[in-house]
Amino acid sequence: MSVPAIAYKRVPGTGSGAFQTSRLYIGPDHLLLVTTTGWTESYRRFYFRDIQVLILCRTEGGKIQNAILALLLFLSAIIATQVGAGAVVAWSFAAAFALGLFANTLRGPPFACHIRTAVQTTKLVSLGRAARAQRFLTQLRPIIEAAQRTATADDATVPPPAEPAPSSPGS
Amino acid sequence: MNVTVVTCPGCKNPLPQSICNTGTMTLCPSCDITLRAEVFPAFFKGTAIGQKAETIVEEGTSSCFYHEKKKAMTHCDACGRFLCALCDLDLGGTHVCPACADAGRKKGNVTELETSRTVYDSAALTLALGAFLVWPVAIVTAPAAIYFAVLSWRRPGSLVPRTRLRSYLAIMVALLQLAGFVLLTVSIIKES
């Protein structure tokens, strides 16, 4: 038995963890979370009819990243002012950290997106920044609502109200 | 209907209805974290109750292949066996029995049931690039990378669309590594 392949559309953004990356795809009736390690891909599906809540929540990760980059920048600058011959290398590192700090600030604060169904709550790590996550949510909302409206119509089991019996003549 | 609450991911306190479905970022009243909550109709619907298999009342009624006392509601589109409501598995509009679903999952024919796959092009690229960490192993990993890259063209790949870039890159890097080993060997022979 063979079922036709499903067409997926990729959601921009890639999340990374310990030796793995995550990407999100939109299918015809579900979201597909793809987690890739060295040579395997794992798949988790979230069907639109099952999605109860989507929450975007700001995290403190951006502040931590900025603090680390600022510290490295400061240390590189200190080293560059102290050493003689290797100052160019140290200043190069300092410039790189400064650029990283500037880029991280420009990208905006990081957000975590939590998707909740009846049985689980999962964090979607590939939607890292506010602008991208908000666009994703705005794009996805009508799709989920349409799928759940269709599911509600299919599940309707209430019979239509009975028609009133015709009145007999002379009553 | 069992109605639960929407909680803030930060402080785990319930979120008031007024800040849900606003379409914009708001603040959690408990912890002041910036968030946006979108609640969908499924949240209020509650957990659906599964359909029960009907017991056969009248003699002569078709029964399920797996439950002879249960009424057949449909048939398997793969093998034709009659199925009750419990045994009927709906895979994107196709009705199958548990045995065919399991067989399809093992053969890789039913993508809805797949939870993982080996992606040989990523394996090839990982082997090719990983050899730079410990370069002597490249004499082994480079041919293996080429093998996996070619294998990726013959085996089912990822569920999601992807190009052959990874396999081409893996072959290119592996060939460069092998060429490097050949040059190294030639130079050693010349020096000796």
Side-chain angles (χ1 to χ4, degrees):
Chain A
M1 181 198 66
S2 179
V3 179
I6 299 171
Y8 287 104
K9 182 184 168 187
R10 182 170 171 188
V11 176
T14 302
S16 58
F19 303 105
Q20 64 183 23
T21 57
S22 297
R23 300 185 309 276
L24 201 59
Y25 293 83
I26 298 178
D29 61 351
H30 61 275
L31 285 176
L32 182 71
L33 178 64
V34 180
T35 304
T36 306
T37 58
W39 47 62
T40 57
E41 281 186 347
S42 303
Y43 307 113
R44 290 185 71 178
R45 295 172 182 83
F46 304 96
Y47 286 88
F48 295 144
R49 61 173 184 268
D50 298 330
I51 295 175
Q52 293 183 342
V53 183
L54 283 172
I55 299 181
L56 291 182
C57 176
R58 182 171 181 163
T59 64
E60 299 299 318
K63 293 180 185 174
I64 296 172
Q65 291 168 4
N66 282 348
I68 293 173
L69 287 169
L71 180 64
L72 292 171
L73 170 62
F74 177 71
L75 290 175
S76 303
I78 294 291
I79 292 171
T81 55
Q82 298 298 320
V83 299
V88 175
V89 176
W91 281 121
S92 300
F93 275 101
F97 292 133
L99 198 62
L101 183 62
F102 181 65
N104 200 39
T105 307
L106 266 185
R107 288 175 70 196
F111 274 73
C113 181
H114 299 265
I115 184 169
R116 170 178 157 174
T117 63
V119 297
Q120 63 184 350
T121 300
T122 306
K123 185 176 169 181
L124 304 178
V125 295
S126 67
L127 302 170
R129 302 289 169 160
R132 179 186 300 153
Q134 291 230 62
R135 276 199 303 272
F136 167 73
L137 215 56
T138 305
Q139 175 192 5
L140 200 63
R141 184 173 182 95
I143 298 174
I144 295 176
E145 285 180 336
Q148 295 188 1
R149 270 200 299 272
T150 305
T152 304
D154 289 343
D155 291 343
T157 55
V158 177
E163 292 181 3
S167 58
S168 57
S171 63
Chain B
M1 184 178 66
N2 180 23
V3 179
T4 55
V5 294
V6 180
T7 56
C8 170
C11 62
K12 309 299 180 191
N13 286 320
L15 292 174
Q17 193 177 358
S18 57
I19 67 169
C20 296
N21 295 341
T22 60
T24 56
M25 292 291 184
T26 55
L27 296 177
C28 171
S30 302
C31 63
D32 284 337
I33 200 168
T34 306
L35 56 81
R36 174 180 167 183
E38 299 288 341
V39 183
F40 299 99
F43 177 79
F44 305 99
K45 195 177 171 185
T47 306
I49 299 173
Q51 191 177 1
K52 292 182 181 177
E54 294 180 33
T55 308
I56 291 177
V57 177
E58 296 175 7
E59 236 180 87
T61 305
S62 300
S63 66
C64 172
F65 178 85
Y66 299 99
H67 304 101
E68 59 183 22
K69 293 184 181 176
K70 299 295 181 184
K71 185 179 174 183
M73 303 299 292
T74 183
H75 66 276
C76 176
D77 289 330
C79 65
R81 290 170 180 165
F82 286 175
L83 305 173
C84 64
L86 273 177
C87 298
D88 175 29
L89 299 176
D90 187 351
L91 298 177
T94 305
H95 295 269
V96 293
C97 65
C100 290
D102 193 44
R105 181 187 63 81
K106 287 177 181 172
K107 289 181 185 175
N109 293 335
V110 187
T111 55
E112 281 104 330
L113 299 179
E114 285 193 70
T115 57
S116 68
R117 271 193 185 178
T118 301
V119 279
Y120 294 99
D121 53 353
S122 294
L125 189 59
T126 302
L127 278 175
L129 296 179
F132 287 113
L133 296 175
V134 186
W135 66 267
V137 302
I139 193 67
V140 174
T141 60
I146 294 172
Y147 171 74
F148 280 124
V150 174
L151 196 64
S152 72
W153 300 338
R154 297 172 180 273
R155 294 282 177 89
S158 171
L159 274 185
V160 294
R162 55 178 11 188
T163 63
R164 287 186 171 186
L165 178 64
R166 288 175 185 83
S167 54
Y168 292 148
L169 197 60
I171 290 174
M172 191 177 69
V173 171
L175 287 176
L176 286 173
Q177 290 169 349
L178 288 174
F181 268 105
V182 169
L183 289 173
L184 182 67
T185 307
V186 167
S187 66
I188 289 174
I189 292 171
K190 278 187 178 177
E191 283 181 9
S192 62

